[in-house]
Amino acid sequence: MLNNAVNRERLMGYAEDVLLPATAKDITLMETVEEEGEELSLWLVTMEDEEEYWLLENGSPCGIYKRSGIYESTQRVFDTYAIQKEQAQQEPVKDRFAYGYEK
């Protein structure tokens, strides 16, 4: 129980650091899934100004998304994280200067 409370405080602190000057009011674990041997937890962070954010955690915070529009559903947040993770592992596209093109 204490470990859970410490983790909640740590994640609230992370959200406040990322979303300065906002202050976190509450955090709630919404869902946990396991994909490819990786456990992902999705937390709902409510700020003092009543704005809500999704915070993804896989042992450490790995993404934060404002809860609105396309990010209303938890599945959409998990899907977006998977796409971003896949894109990060791909080789970056070279810019035009890498091919010798100039103005």
Side-chain angles (χ1 to χ4, degrees):
M1 184 71 166
L2 178 62
N3 192 23
N4 189 31
V6 170
N7 191 39
R8 287 170 46 94
E9 287 299 317
R10 180 179 65 85
L11 293 173
M12 284 178 70
Y14 171 80
E16 288 178 348
D17 289 346
V18 171
L19 302 169
L20 281 174
T23 304
K25 180 172 78 173
D26 189 33
I27 186 167
T28 306
L29 179 61
M30 300 301 287
E31 189 173 344
T32 299
V33 297
E34 188 171 324
E35 288 185 11
E36 300 174 8
E38 178 181 38
E39 185 176 288
L40 289 171
S41 298
L42 185 63
W43 298 79
L44 180 63
V45 181
T46 305
M47 307 306 280
E48 288 289 336
D49 60 3
E50 299 303 320
E51 293 287 337
E52 293 180 321
Y53 294 86
W54 296 114
L55 191 148
L56 268 169
E57 175 202 25
N58 65 350
S60 63
C62 59
I64 194 161
Y65 306 88
K66 184 172 176 145
R67 183 180 181 193
S68 66
I70 63 170
Y71 296 121
E72 280 294 327
S73 86
T74 59
Q75 187 58 49
R76 183 65 158 198
V77 176
F78 285 122
D79 292 345
T80 300
Y81 173 73
I83 291 168
Q84 290 174 338
K85 185 177 173 184
E86 181 180 307
Q87 289 175 343
Q89 294 173 350
Q90 294 176 352
E91 187 174 323
V93 176
K94 297 178 184 177
D95 67 10
R96 67 178 187 217
F97 297 109
Y99 295 103
Y101 298 119
E102 299 198 26
K103 283 187 169 184

